[in-house]
Amino acid sequence: MAMDPRGSIFGQQRGQAGAAVDAQIDEGLRAYMLKVYNYMGSALLLSGIVAYGVSSSPALMQLIYGTPLKWVVMLAPLGMVMLLSARIHKMSAGAAQATFWVFATLMGASLSYILLVYTQTSVVRVFMITAVTFGSMSLFGYTTKKDLSGWGNFLMMGLIGII
């Protein structure tokens, strides 16, 4: 008889102990994912507040986009991504979290110009489309337990095609 990785025999119902372990794993995964979504939602909120604050202040907009500082603000998030990618395994949890919040703040400052170029309606519409897509893909991956990492190359080519 074949056995799955948790030791149950295919075709037979698992006992209460196996179901309890599954429930415990599922509860741990839910708690972990909730924590991840809370961090991401908080960072997105921080980015939005910073973007709105910078775009609402003519003095800050002049300081950033009227000087060469605009290049620092535009490219700093990319530099932060490279820093995190190269150093994440060597950073302490506190340093990684601080870098994450700095990245969220820099993204807000970097995206502030978009709020001046496009209408509020179009920015909100794109945000909502992105949020719904993320939520639905996340829910699909979580409920079906399907690994979506194989879609990465296909979607990256689609993104390059769109750009």
Side-chain angles (χ1 to χ4, degrees):
M1 293 188 158
M3 297 184 75
D4 76 7
R6 294 185 198 141
S8 69
I9 299 172
F10 293 126
Q12 291 184 358
Q13 205 164 25
R14 293 170 43 133
Q16 287 180 334
V21 168
D22 284 349
Q24 202 173 25
I25 289 171
D26 196 42
E27 187 59 37
L29 179 60
R30 282 184 198 182
Y32 177 77
M33 293 307 293
L34 181 62
K35 191 174 178 181
V36 168
Y37 288 147
N38 284 339
Y39 272 118
M40 292 305 294
S42 298
L44 186 59
L45 183 64
L46 175 62
S47 294
I49 289 169
V50 170
Y52 180 76
V54 171
S55 68
S56 298
S57 170
L60 279 175
M61 290 301 288
Q62 179 61 34
L63 174 70
I64 294 171
Y65 294 104
T67 65
L69 186 59
K70 68 182 172 190
W71 295 108
V72 174
V73 171
M74 285 189 286
L75 297 175
L78 181 60
M80 293 293 291
V81 167
M82 287 187 217
L83 172 73
L84 275 170
S85 296
R87 305 270 312 153
I88 193 69
H89 299 295
K90 297 174 186 168
M91 291 178 146
S92 68
Q97 190 172 32
T99 306
F100 175 72
W101 294 118
V102 169
F103 172 76
T105 303
L106 286 171
M107 279 304 298
S110 180
L111 294 172
S112 63
Y113 195 73
I114 289 174
L115 297 176
L116 297 177
V117 174
Y118 297 99
T119 65
Q120 186 177 16
T121 304
S122 65
V123 171
V124 170
R125 182 180 298 139
V126 169
F127 173 78
M128 293 307 292
I129 289 168
T130 304
V132 167
T133 301
F134 170 77
S136 60
M137 293 300 288
S138 178
L139 187 63
F140 175 76
Y142 181 76
T143 56
T144 63
K145 311 249 188 296
K146 188 170 186 150
D147 181 10
L148 302 178
S149 61
W151 292 21
N153 291 335
F154 175 75
L155 294 175
M156 183 56 74
M157 293 308 297
L159 177 63
I160 291 170
I162 289 170
I163 292 172

